[in-house]
C-alpha cells in the first residue's frame, strides 16, 4: 500500500465573474516550463465541457487539477493567478493561468530492498540502476514505473511467489522532501518443467525440436514467446497457445501446456491480375500445410494467362531442425506462346535449404530442365542438368503493405556435358529491392534486377534461361518480355544479359488508398552495348487485408506499338 501525506498550500488570486457560461473555455498557461505546462494541459483538458462555466465551483476544479498535475512532477507549493480575458459574450472568454510552481520536492531517501533469489539476479540489478536517485525532483510516474517494473520483471523471470512487504511513497511538502520505500520479497525462481502437448496432429519429437528451452532451465517468458512463434511459423496449426501452469507449480518447476488446433488439411488461394500485354491472368494455389505426422507439406500452383500456363508442385520435408533446415522436391510443367517464343518445358529439382539467425537463407539444388522450343527463327530441344546455389533474404515491417523492408537474392547455376547437360553454360541472376518511408504518408520503393548467361552455344539455351524485359514486374511501359535483341529476321531471340530498375513514390491519399508515381528502365542485350529503355507512369494502390492491389498506367518512351500500358495486379511487393 502507498501512503501519501499531501499537504499543499495554494495561494490563489483571481479576477472572476461567477455565473458566466463559456461554451468552449480557452486556457492560456504562463510561467511553466514545457514538461509542467504539458502535464497541466492534460489535466485541464480532462474537465468535461458541461462543467466549463465561470463559477466558483469551476475555479475550485481548475485549482484541484493544476495541483494534481504539478504534484505528479514534484511541485506541491504553487501560486496560481487567474485572469479572465477576451470575454466578448457569455460563450466566449479566455482564462489566463499564471502559475509559479514554487520550490520542488526532492527525493531525500531511496530505500529499495530485494530479498530472495532476485537479490543475486543480474536483471534486477540492472533494473535498479534506473531507480530515482537522492536529490532528484520527485516524479510520481517514475516511482510507479519502478514499482510496476519490479513486479513485471519478477513475473517474466519466474518469481511466482513474489510480493511487496513494503511499498510506500512518503511526501513531506513543508520540508520539500520525499521518501521512497520498496521492500520486495521475490522468493525462489522457478524453472521450466515438463512440456505437455494437447491436440497435436504432428509427432511430438518434431515439436520438441523447436523448443527454445529444456526442462530445468530458469523460467523466462521470452522463451515461451519464441516457442509459440516457432510453432505458429510452421503453418501446421490454426492456433497456438503456450502457457505456464502457474496454478500447478511443483517444487521449483512450472509445467508448460501447449494447446494446438490443426490447420485445415487443404487450403486454397487465388490471385488475379490484368495487363494490356498479357490480358487477364489467374493463379490458383492448393496447399496441404501438413501432409503427415512428420510435418511434410505439399504446395501446388496453377498459373493461367493467354501467353503462359504453368503447373508446379512442391513437396517440403523438414529435417531435425524444423524451422531452419529442410529438403524440397519440385516438379513443373510450363507452356509458353508469347511474341516470338513457343516452348514446352518440363522441370524437376531437389534442393537442400538452410536458414540463419541473420535472416539469410541458403539453398543448394540440382534441377533437370527439358525444353522443346522455337525462339525467333531457331527451333531446338535442350536437355540440361543444372546444379546451383541461391542466397536470399527478405525483411519487412508493417504487414501486407510494409512501410519498411528489403529483399536480396542471388542465384548461380551451371551446366556441362560432363554433368549430362547438352551444353556448357554458367548463369547468374540477382535482385535487390528496398522499401523505405519518411512517415506514415510517404513511401518509396526501388528495385534492381540483373543477370547474365555465359555459353558458346547460345542457340541451344532454352527461352526460360534467356533474358527478356518488359511487363508489370519489369519495365511497365512495354509489353511482357518484348525487350530483347532481335535476329536477322527481326524476331526476338532473348538476351545474354539483362538489367532493369524501378524508382517509385507512394503517397497516402486517404485511409488505405495511395497514389503512385514511378519510373522504370533497363534493357536485355547480347553482344552489343545495351540500348536503355525508359518508361514512366502513375498508379493507384489499395492496402487490402491480403496485400496491396495495384493499378498502373505506364508509357514507354521508345514504345511505338502501344502508347500506354495498363497493369492490374495483387500480390507482395518484395
Amino acid at each position: 500500500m502507498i501512503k501519501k501525506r499531501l499537504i499543499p498550500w495554494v495561494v490563489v488570486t483571481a479576477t472572476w465573474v461567477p455565473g458566466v457560461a463559456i461554451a468552449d473555455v480557452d486556457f492560456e498557461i504562463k510561467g511553466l516550463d514545457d514538461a509542467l505546462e504539458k502535464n497541466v494541459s492534460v489535466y485541464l483538458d480532462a474537465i468535461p465541457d458541461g462543467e466549463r462555466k465561470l463559477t466558483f465551483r469551476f475555479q475550485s476544479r481548475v485549482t484541484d487539477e493544476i495541483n494534481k498535475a504539478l504534484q505528479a512532477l514534484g511541485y506541491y507549493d504553487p501560486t496560481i493567478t487567474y485572469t479572465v480575458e477576451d470575454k466578448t459574450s457569455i460563450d466566449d472568454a479566455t482564462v489566463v493561468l499564471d502559475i509559479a510552481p514554487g520550490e520542488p520536492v526532492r527525493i531525500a531517501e531511496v530505500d529499495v530492498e530485494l530479498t530472495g533469489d532476485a537479490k543475486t539476479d543480474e536483471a534486477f540489478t540492472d533494473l535498479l540502476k534506473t531507480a530515482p536517485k537522492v536529490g532528484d525532483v520527485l516524479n510520481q510516474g517514475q516511482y510507479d514505473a519502478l514499482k510496476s517494473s519490479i513486479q513485471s520483471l519478477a513475473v517474466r523471470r519466474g518469481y511466482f511467489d513474489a510480493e511487496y512487504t513494503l511499498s510506500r511513497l512518503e511526501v513531506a511538502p513543508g520540508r520539500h522532501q520525499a521518501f521512497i520505500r520498496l521492500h520486495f520479497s521475490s522468493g525462489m525462481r522457478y524453472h521450466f518443467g515438463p512440456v505437455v502437448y494437447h491436440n497435436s496432429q504432428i509427432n511430438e519429437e518434431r515439436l520438441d525440436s523447436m523448443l527454445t528451452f529444456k526442462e530445468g532451465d530458469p523460467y523466462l517468458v521470452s522463451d515461451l514467446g519464441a516457442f509459440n512463434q516457432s510453432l505458429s511459423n510452421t503453418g501446421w496449426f490454426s492456433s497456438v497457445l503456450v502457457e505456464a501452469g502457474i496454478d500447478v507449480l511443483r517444487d521449483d518447476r512450472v509445467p508448460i501446456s501447449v494447446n494446438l488446433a490443426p490447420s485445415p488439411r487443404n487450403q486454397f488461394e487465388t490471385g488475379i491480375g490484368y495487363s494490356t500485354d498479357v490480358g487477364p491472368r489467374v493463379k490458383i494455389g492448393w496447399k496441404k500445410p501438413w501432409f503427415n505426422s512428420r510435418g511434410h507439406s505439399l504446395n501446388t500452383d496453377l498459373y493461367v494467362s493467354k501467353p503462359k500456363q504453368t503447373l508446379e508442385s512442391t513437396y517440403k520435408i523438414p529435417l531435425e531442425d524444423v524451422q531452419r533446415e529442410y529438403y524440397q522436391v519440385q516438379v513443373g510443367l510450363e507452356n509458353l506462346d508469347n511474341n516470338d517464343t513457343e516452348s514446352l518445358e518440363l522441370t524437376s529439382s531437389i534442393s537442400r535449404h538452410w536458414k540463419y539467425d541473420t535472416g539469410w537463407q541458403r539453398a543448394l539444388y540440382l534441377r533437370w530442365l527439358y525444353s522443346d522450343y522455337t525462339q525467333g527463327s531457331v527451333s531446338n530441344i535442350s536437355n540440361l542438368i543444372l546444379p546451383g546455389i541461391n542466397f536470399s533474404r527478405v525483411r519487412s515491417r508493417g504487414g501486407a503493405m510494409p512501410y519498411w523492408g528489403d529483399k536480396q537474392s542471388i542465384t548461380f547455376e551451371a551446366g556441362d556435358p560432363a554433368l549430362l547437360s547438352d551444353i556448357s553454360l554458367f548463369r547468374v541472376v540477382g535482385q535487390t529491392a528496398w522499401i523505405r518511408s519518411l512517415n506514415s504518408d510517404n513511401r518509396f520503393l526501388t528495385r534492381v534486377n540483373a543477370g547474365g548467361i555465359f555459353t558458346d552455344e547460345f542457340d541451344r539455351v532454352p527461352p526460360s534461361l534467356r533474358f527478356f524485359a518488359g511487363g508489370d514486374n519489369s519495365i511497365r511501359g512495354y509489353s511482357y518480355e518484348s525487350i530483347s535483341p532481335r535476329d536477322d529476321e527481326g524476331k526476338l531471340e532473348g538476351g545474354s544479359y539483362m538489367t532493369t530498375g524501378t524508382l517509385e513514390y507512394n503517397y497516402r491519399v486517404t485511409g488505405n488508398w495511395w497514389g503512385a508515381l514511378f519510373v522504370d528502365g533497363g534493357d536485355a542485350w547480347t553482344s552489343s552495348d545495351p540500348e536503355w529503355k525508359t518508361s514512366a507512369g502513375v498508379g493507384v494502390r489499395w492496402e487490402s487485408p491480403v496485400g496491396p492491389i495495384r493499378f498502373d498506367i505506364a508509357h514507354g518512351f521508345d514504345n511505338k506499338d502501344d502508347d500506354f500500358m495498363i497493369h492490374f495486379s495483387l500480390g507482395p511487393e518484395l
Side-chain angles (χ1 to χ4, degrees), residues 242-260:
V242 180
E243 293 181 301
I246 298 175
D247 296 333
V248 287
L249 300 174
R250 300 170 186 172
D251 298 324
D252 68 338
R253 294 290 194 267
V254 52
I256 305 302
S257 176
V258 182
N259 296 287
L260 304 165

Side-chain angles (χ1 to χ4, degrees), residues 167-195:
S167 59
R168 188 161 63 227
L169 173 60
E170 301 172 346
V171 180
R175 295 163 54 188
H176 299 101
Q177 290 182 327
F179 306 85
I180 293 176
R181 307 192 191 283
L182 292 173
H183 293 182
F184 189 71
S185 174
S186 70
M188 69 175 177
R189 184 179 183 184
Y190 284 83
H191 296 70
F192 284 112
V195 178

Side-chain angles (χ1 to χ4, degrees), residues 79-95:
T79 301
I80 307 169
T81 301
Y82 301 84
T83 306
V84 177
E85 295 181 352
D86 301 328
K87 185 171 75 66
T88 59
S89 70
I90 61 172
D91 297 321
D92 190 5
T94 299
V95 176

Side-chain angles (χ1 to χ4, degrees), residues 401 508-515 540-545 549:
M401 190 169 180
R508 187 191 302 272
V509 178
T510 180
N512 292 332
W513 290 92
W514 299 69
V540 176
R541 308 284 182 267
W542 179 48
E543 189 177 347
S544 78
I549 295 178

Side-chain angles (χ1 to χ4, degrees), residues 452-467:
I453 186 167
F454 306 89
T455 180
D456 294 330
E457 300 178 82
F458 186 76
D459 284 350
R460 300 197 65 186
V461 175
S464 62
L465 299 184
R466 303 185 189 192
F467 294 105

